[in-house]
Structures are given as C-alpha cells and as structure tokens.
Amino acid sequence: MNKTIIININGIVFHIEEDAYDVLKLYMTDVKRHFSNSADSLEITTDIENRIAEMFNETLTSQNKQVIVEADVKLIIEQMGTVEDFEFAENDEKATGTPPYTFNTERRRLFRDPDDHLISGVAAGIANYFDIPTVWIRLAFAISFAFAGSGFILYVILWIVVPKAITRADRMAMKGEKQDLKGFKKNFEDEMTIVKENLSNFHREARPFVYKVRDFLGDFLSHLGTFLKTAWRFIGKLIVVCVLLFFVGISILLIVGVVALVAFGNADILRHISPFNIINHEITLVFLIGGFLVMAIPLFMVIILLIGFLFKRATFSRSIGVPLLCIWLASLCLVIYYGAQTSAEFREGAKLSKTINIKPTANNTYYLQLNDSKYLTSADSARLKINERFGGMIILDDDFNGNDMDSPSPVRIEIEKSDVQQPVLIESFSARGHNDDDALTNARNISYRFIQKDSVLKFDRNLERLNNTKWRGQELYITLKVPMNAKLIIDGKLDRNINNLDLWGCQRSNSPANQAGVVYFIASGGPQCQIDTVKAKADSTKKAKADSLNNIDHENQ
C-alpha cells in the first residue's frame, strides 16, 4: 500500500502518491531556483505549473485512473526537460556565442489569437495554425463576404467554436512551440522583446484611431491589389483560352459546312437552302464564297490576335493585314451588292384568289386528309419515266417529315361556318416581286393540289413553285367554308396546317381516339370539337371525387 496525498496546482486538485510528490517537489524547487533571477520568475513558474497540471489531467484521462504515480511524474519531467540539461544548453550557447538551431516539430492547435486581432482573433489564429501571414486570411474573409455573406457566417461560426488562447501554453501550442523549460523561457523572452519594441514605438501606437484605420486600410488595399492583379492574370488568360476555343469551333463548323455544300453540288442543294434559295442560281456559288470570306476573315484575325495575346508575340504584320482587309472589303461589297439586288425583288406584293366548289355529300360528312403523294410536273414524269419504272406505285413526299426546306412556311388552312349550303374552298395566293407584274407572275406560278374524292378532301402540306421560280415570299391561305351541322373528321397529320383548330387537344378529350381522325361539327359559332359525353361525364365524376377527398384531407389537418 502506498500513501496518497492531495496537492493543489494553481487551483486544480490532484491525488498523488507520496514518492511521486517528492520527485515533483524537488523538480519544481530546481525550476524556481533557476528562474529566481528572471524579471518575472513568478509568471514563468506559474505557466510551467499550469502546463504540468494540464499534462497530469491528460495522463489521468488517457489511462482512466485517479492517482498520479512516480512514473507519471518522471515521464512529464522528461518531456518538460530537466534544469540540469537546460543549464548545460545555456552554458554551451554562451560559450559558442550562437544559439543552436531548432525545428518546431510540435503539432499546432487552433486557437483564437488575443494578441493579434481586429475583431476576435479568428483570422490570426488560422494564420498561426497554417504558419502563413495573417493578412492573407483576412483578405480571404473579406472577399468571401461578397459571396452571399458566406464569409461572415463562417467567421461567426469559428468565433463561437474556436477557443481563445488564454494561457501561455495555449499561445505556444497555437504557434507550434515546444512546451518545455526552454520553450517557456524563449516564449517569455520573445514577449519581453515585443513589449520593448512596442514601448519604443509608443509614439506611433499612441496616434489617433483614425490614423490607425488609415494605415490598416492602406495596407489592406495594397495586399488586395496585389492579390487581384495576380488573380486577374490567371482569370484573364482562362477567359481568353475559352474565347479562343469558341472561335476555333465556329471556324471549323463554317469550313466543314462550306466544303460539304460545295461537295454535294450547289445546283441541287444550295438552291433549296435559305438564303441561297432567294438569289439567282447563276451567282449562288459566288455568293457562298463571298459570304464565307466575310465571316471567315474576321474569325481568322481574332484567333491570331488571341494566340498572340496568350504567348506575348506580335502575330500580325502590315504585309498580312492589308491584303486580308482588302479581300474582306471586296467580299463584303459583293455580298451587299447581291443582297441589295435580291432584296429589290421583294419590293412589291400581289395576291390572287381562287374559289373551288366542293360537292356536297349525302350525310353531310367530310374527311380531311393529308395528301402524301409527291408532286411531279410533266417534265419530271417524263424524265424519271414514271409510267415505265414505277407503274402502279405511288411516290411519297416524306422528306424531312413533310417539311420542305424550299418553303419557309407550310400552307395554312382555316375552317369556317358557311352561310350557304354549298361548301366552298377559297385559295388565296400571295407573292412579292420587283414590280407588280413580277409579283403577279410569281403568285400565278404557285401550284397546289386539292383533291376531292366523294367525301374525302385531300390537301398537300406545301405549295409548289412552277418554272423554277425563285422564292419570293410565296404563301397560300386556304379557307374551307362548311355549312351548318356538317361533320368533319380531320386527319391528325394536318395539325400543323390548320390554324384555328386544336386537333391535339380535341383528340386528347376523346379517349380512345377515333382512328379515322379528330371529329368536329359545325355549330352556330363555328367548328366545335365533338366530345364523348360518356367519357366527359366519367371525367367530371372522377374530378368531383378527387375534390371531395382533398376537402376531407384539409378538414382533418
């Protein structure tokens, strides 16, 4: 059995064996004797006692025991260092005249620095932990304030969570200084040196607060400017690289497009693509090359200038720039000339109208369908030998899903109620030209097929231009006037052509859908979707039940 006594180290009570106490007492007596000649021996020895108390607490907690034994005291003395070793190191330093170089190998701990703070010491504590200048941490917080106040929120959280370095041991742990006898003395001497420097610079520190703020702002703005200048160089080059890649991509697409169009043959392809379908076929290739140069030369110059900016080299000389500028101006004049010449052919407009009487049906029912057979002129039929090669077969017009690139807009159809019993179809042709005569000729050269076979009315999706007429705004509006109480069954493929009816919405209201088409009847107010009354009643009942359940849920809540 060992005798245990109770000791008090700076307000902290410990249970310690008598042998261990004797060793500790002897060690502290030597420490106090050694620092007795120092200016603030009491402060140094108090800090050492506080550190020993912390180490005792850590030992008891880690080993889950209540009494300090002799081995614990000897281990702590070994970590703190003995007075004899410390005195030997001091004598050696005095003999050589130079202090031995030591590395800080202690693990740093995060504290708020009370000695270097503007608000709470969070930024200084983080700077000490990572061993970097404090100004960079403060600058990072200042910049992060601009991002939805995230920097302010993070600063407040750290202010609450991170403890403040109160004792000398905390401040030493914050800076990664070894907490032994030598470390405590060195830290104290450094503090005294700082105090002396502060006293020598008292005249500067005693200046009015406004001057201190001015100096801080000047220092802060100087560091901010250096940071932004460095960051902007990197960000600027990154932006230039992105812009360069964008322009290179556009250039590649432009070159590939022009090569593909020329390779496929401008006579058959370009005359059906806007804007080449509105210019004379004889100058299509010239217009294409001119337009390519107008776009390609500025792209080429921008790419070269961006490359020169990235690599700090002059990439353009007058011998290269002047010829390119002349070629670009010539191409621009060419495009403007032919563009103005073509736009003059849209100066005047003309309209023609044609009325077709539709044969009434016995049951007053009409089927409106899309005519998907391809339109061929007599010359095309003879050239392709339709009767010989495709006898009994129908050539379908299904290119581009019914969209003709040569016709910017499909034929528009409107269905109205007729005031008479005879259904009629009114076709309104419109076109533009250099003068009235040209406009009328272009409108007259519009061909459109409408076919009635008994109760079936077939419509082409697009109009056709005869005699190789260039596109001059040719459009066709069709008005189908049907008498009262007539029934229309409309093919869903005509949804893009019929303007005043919502075929898709009507078909959705009737499920399952009618296989023949969407059903409309002509009422006094015009065409009306025929709704399945059984389905409508079922939908209404279902909606009423859903509303009732929602009301019950709200009442229960």
Side-chain angles (χ1 to χ4, degrees):
M1 297 178 62
N2 294 327
K3 183 178 179 181
T4 302
I5 60 178
I6 299 175
I7 62 174
N8 185 333
I9 303 179
N10 290 334
I12 303 176
V13 177
F14 296 98
H15 293 271
I16 185 170
E17 291 184 353
E18 188 173 10
D19 295 340
Y21 173 74
D22 293 338
V23 175
L24 178 62
K25 183 178 180 181
L26 181 62
Y27 177 74
M28 288 306 303
T29 301
D30 291 341
V31 169
K32 291 179 180 179
R33 175 188 56 79
H34 177 79
F35 290 107
S36 60
N37 297 325
S38 300
D40 278 331
S41 60
L42 179 61
E43 184 177 353
I44 297 178
T45 54
T46 301
D47 289 335
I48 294 174
E49 288 179 353
N50 287 336
R51 177 55 185 160
I52 292 174
E54 289 179 2
M55 297 172 75
F56 279 158
N57 274 329
E58 294 173 359
T59 301
L60 295 176
T61 302
S62 62
Q63 299 180 10
N64 195 18
K65 61 182 184 179
Q66 298 180 353
V67 180
I68 299 172
V69 298
E70 184 177 356
D72 298 333
V73 175
K74 289 182 177 179
L75 179 62
I76 289 173
I77 292 174
E78 182 180 353
Q79 294 175 358
M80 292 291 294
T82 63
V83 175
E84 291 79 5
D85 294 338
F86 183 49
E87 289 177 344
F88 177 77
E90 285 186 333
N91 294 332
D92 185 61
E93 180 180 339
K94 291 178 180 178
T96 58
T98 56
Y101 185 80
T102 58
F103 293 92
N104 285 337
T105 59
E106 293 293 310
R107 183 176 64 88
R108 295 173 183 258
R109 296 172 59 189
L110 183 59
F111 287 97
R112 289 187 287 114
D113 191 351
D115 300 325
D116 181 17
H117 69 281
L118 292 178
I119 300 177
S120 66
V122 170
I126 296 174
N128 282 317
Y129 185 80
F130 291 104
D131 194 19
I132 58 176
T134 308
V135 65
W136 294 111
I137 304 298
R138 289 170 179 163
L139 186 60
F141 274 114
I143 294 174
S144 63
F145 285 168
F147 296 95
S150 58
F152 174 75
I153 297 173
L154 178 61
Y155 190 91
V156 173
I157 293 174
L158 292 175
W159 190 349
I160 297 172
V161 173
V162 178
K164 183 179 180 180
I166 300 175
T167 65
R168 185 184 303 277
D170 292 342
R171 294 193 294 271
M172 293 173 67
M174 178 180 65
K175 298 178 181 180
E177 298 176 356
K178 193 171 183 180
Q179 299 178 47
D180 55 7
L181 295 181
K182 185 176 181 180
F184 277 101
K185 184 176 182 181
K186 181 178 182 302
N187 182 269
F188 179 76
E189 290 175 350
D190 291 343
E191 277 192 7
M192 294 302 297
T193 302
I194 294 174
V195 170
K196 291 178 181 179
E197 291 178 355
N198 290 338
L199 289 175
S200 63
N201 296 328
F202 179 75
H203 66 281
R204 181 177 180 273
E205 298 295 330
R207 290 182 303 171
F209 178 75
V210 65
Y211 291 102
K212 295 180 181 179
V213 173
R214 182 198 64 184
D215 294 341
F216 168 74
L217 289 177
D219 187 47
F220 175 78
L221 292 176
S222 175
H223 286 288
L224 178 62
T226 304
F227 173 78
L228 292 179
K229 186 177 180 180
T230 305
W232 174 246
R233 289 176 182 173
F234 173 76
I235 296 174
K237 288 189 176 181
L238 183 62
I239 293 174
V240 171
V241 170
C242 294
V243 174
L244 177 62
L245 293 177
F246 173 74
F247 281 114
V248 169
I250 293 178
S251 302
I252 293 174
L253 290 177
L254 183 62
I255 294 172
V256 170
V258 171
V259 171
L261 290 175
V262 174
F264 278 110
N266 64 300
D268 296 328
I269 299 296
L270 295 180
R271 67 178 59 182
H272 297 288
I273 299 177
S274 180
F276 302 104
N277 60 343
I278 65 175
I279 62 177
N280 296 325
H281 300 155
E282 295 80 9
I283 62 172
T284 299
L285 187 58
V286 177
F287 187 81
L288 173 64
I289 295 174
F292 170 76
L293 293 175
V294 167
M295 293 183 291
I297 291 177
L299 283 175
F300 173 74
M301 295 180 68
V302 169
I303 291 172
I304 296 300
L305 289 174
L306 291 176
I307 293 175
F309 176 79
L310 286 176
F311 296 99
K312 305 295 183 183
R313 287 187 176 182
T315 53
F316 256 113
S317 62
R318 180 172 297 182
S319 59
I320 298 176
V322 172
L324 286 178
L325 179 61
C326 294
I327 294 173
W328 183 79
L329 290 175
S331 302
L332 182 63
C333 293
L334 183 71
V335 171
I336 292 175
Y337 172 75
Y338 285 120
Q341 188 181 60
T342 302
S343 64
E345 298 185 15
F346 287 81
R347 184 180 304 164
E348 301 295 335
K351 290 185 178 181
L352 297 174
S353 180
K354 178 182 178 182
T355 301
I356 300 174
N357 293 322
I358 297 175
K359 297 177 183 179
T361 60
N363 56 358
N364 209 16
T365 300
Y366 301 90
Y367 293 84
L368 278 64
Q369 297 179 358
L370 177 67
N371 185 16
D372 54 1
S373 61
K374 190 174 183 62
Y375 173 82
L376 295 173
T377 62
S378 300
D380 291 335
S381 298
R383 178 174 56 84
L384 297 174
K385 300 179 182 180
I386 298 298
N387 293 331
E388 298 177 12
R389 299 171 60 191
F390 307 102
M393 301 177 68
I394 299 175
I395 300 177
L396 300 179
D397 185 12
D398 59 351
D399 287 342
F400 306 98
N401 297 321
N403 289 329
D404 187 0
M405 289 193 303
D406 210 13
S407 299
S409 60
V411 174
R412 303 179 215 180
I413 303 173
E414 291 193 2
I415 300 175
E416 300 178 356
K417 181 181 75 68
S418 175
D419 296 331
V420 296
Q421 292 300 317
Q422 173 69 40
V424 296
L425 185 75
I426 303 174
E427 297 178 343
S428 298
F429 303 91
S430 63
R432 306 195 69 83
H434 183 74
N435 48 43
D436 291 337
D437 187 34
D438 288 341
L440 286 171
T441 301
N442 292 332
R444 189 170 64 248
N445 284 331
I446 296 175
S447 175
Y448 183 77
R449 287 182 304 169
F450 166 73
I451 303 173
Q452 179 181 8
K453 187 175 182 181
D454 298 329
S455 61
V456 178
L457 308 180
K458 287 195 172 184
F459 298 85
D460 277 7
R461 184 180 298 282
N462 301 299
L463 55 84
E464 297 289 337
R465 300 198 301 271
L466 302 177
N467 303 323
N468 291 326
T469 305
K470 296 182 291 295
W471 185 78
R472 291 297 179 263
Q474 290 91 339
E475 291 182 336
L476 173 59
Y477 294 87
I478 296 177
T479 303
L480 177 61
K481 293 189 175 184
V482 188
M484 185 79 168
N485 297 323
K487 184 177 181 180
L488 303 178
I489 302 176
I490 307 174
D491 186 0
K493 295 180 181 178
L494 289 172
D495 184 46
R496 285 180 295 168
N497 293 86
I498 297 179
N499 288 343
N500 62 332
L501 300 181
D502 183 10
L503 301 185
W504 185 82
C506 181
Q507 187 176 22
R508 186 178 57 178
S509 301
N510 294 274
S511 181
N514 189 343
Q515 297 298 323
V518 184
V519 181
Y520 276 83
F521 65 93
I522 305 302
S524 58
Q528 298 292 329
C529 176
Q530 181 172 327
I531 305 296
D532 186 352
T533 56
V534 176
K535 180 179 182 298
K537 185 176 180 180
D539 291 342
S540 178
T541 304
K542 185 177 180 181
K543 185 177 183 301
K545 289 182 179 180
D547 293 339
S548 177
L549 291 175
N550 289 333
N551 292 333
I552 292 173
D553 292 339
H554 287 303
E555 292 176 359
N556 292 335
Q557 292 176 358

